Amino acid sequence: MPALDPSLNLREQVLAQLRSEIVSGRAAPGTVYTVPTLSTELGVSTTPVREALLELSRNGLVSPMRNRGFKVEATSLSDLENLFDLRVLLESSALVAVARRGLTDTAPLIALADEVRDAVGRDDVRGYIDSDRRFHAALVARANNPLLTKLVLSLRDDMRLYGIDSDEGKKRQQASVGEHYQMIELAVAGESDAIAALITRHIQEWKPLFTAALQKLA
């Protein structure tokens, strides 16, 4: 794993790295993480590692094993289908609310969209996953509904992004970059129907890729 930056929040860095490994499929179902091993590997104390694994456990990505560590949980095609359905429903509702309110102060969102673009330019899949999550969290938060934001992020964190670092996945990452800027523009213009259609396509375009990758693991 990449080295951590001691000047930043260690728990959040560990959490982001582990989440990226799991949702991208680099840590396959059944992989076991132990606190001491990860602590040594990352060069940090056991506390941020344990906290990160407990957070992933609450999200259902790993499950605790008595005196053995945490095991990466498997997912199913039906789970994936349900997650896509719910994400479309909730994220489109959130962005419609943002557009109807009229988006202002776009600079922070543009900066996050730039981070996604830069991660794709570096071929940095972990950076893409992290910056993409932060962009969508910030945009959905503009609906001023904390519970909705929490639900949206929970669903995003539950989804396995298998195949994201394949050639097809990288092409989809590149296509998503421009869509982020379009979302900002549509929200500013108050185009609620157009932004609903865009976020639906933005989410659903990943579905065939993730489905095919998951089927290969079955």
Side-chain angles (χ1 to χ4, degrees):
M1 290 186 187
L4 303 184
D5 185 343
S7 68
L8 302 175
N9 185 296
L10 291 176
R11 173 190 172 278
E12 292 302 318
Q13 290 183 79
V14 175
L15 182 61
Q17 286 201 23
L18 293 178
R19 181 188 289 122
S20 174
E21 281 202 347
I22 294 168
V23 301
S24 68
R26 290 175 177 174
T31 298
V32 175
Y33 288 117
T34 66
V35 173
T37 299
L38 278 175
S39 299
T40 300
E41 191 175 322
L42 295 171
V44 298
S45 69
T46 58
T47 299
V49 173
R50 183 179 294 105
E51 290 176 349
L53 285 167
L54 288 172
E55 178 67 19
L56 293 172
S57 177
R58 286 190 287 269
N59 291 339
L61 292 180
V62 300
S63 59
M65 304 171 65
R66 189 175 184 86
N67 298 324
R68 289 188 57 195
F70 295 78
K71 182 178 70 174
V72 175
E73 285 296 310
T75 192
S76 67
L77 287 172
S78 61
D79 291 337
L80 189 65
E81 182 80 29
N82 291 338
L83 283 169
F84 269 104
D85 288 347
L86 286 173
R87 280 192 58 194
V88 168
L89 177 66
L90 293 182
E91 292 189 47
S92 61
S93 295
L95 267 58
V96 164
V98 173
R100 286 177 176 170
R101 293 174 64 88
L103 182 64
T104 58
D105 185 22
T106 61
L109 290 167
I110 292 172
L112 288 169
D114 289 345
E115 288 188 31
V116 179
R117 178 202 62 201
D118 294 344
V120 172
R122 296 191 306 271
D123 196 20
D124 178 2
V125 174
R126 189 177 73 84
Y128 173 83
I129 292 172
D130 178 59
S131 56
D132 180 72
R133 182 183 188 275
R134 287 186 289 110
F135 171 82
H136 284 281
L139 183 56
V140 168
R142 295 297 186 94
N144 287 347
N145 186 330
L147 179 57
L148 179 57
T149 301
K150 181 179 179 181
L151 289 172
V152 166
L153 290 179
S154 176
L155 290 172
R156 289 179 63 88
D157 291 343
D158 284 347
M159 183 166 279
R160 306 301 173 89
L161 316 180
Y162 294 166
I164 192 171
D165 53 1
S166 65
D167 289 342
E168 186 179 350
K170 290 174 182 177
K171 289 178 182 177
R172 179 63 203 133
Q173 289 178 48
Q174 293 167 359
S176 74
V177 169
E179 293 167 2
H180 291 150
Y181 295 107
Q182 292 172 33
M183 289 176 205
I184 296 171
E185 293 170 1
L186 291 173
V188 169
E191 297 284 351
S192 57
D193 290 343
I195 203 170
L198 176 57
I199 188 61
T200 297
R201 186 174 76 253
H202 184 77
I203 295 170
Q204 293 283 23
E205 287 288 335
W206 287 103
K207 189 174 182 179
L209 175 66
F210 295 164
T211 300
L214 182 57
Q215 286 174 326
K216 289 180 181 179
L217 295 174

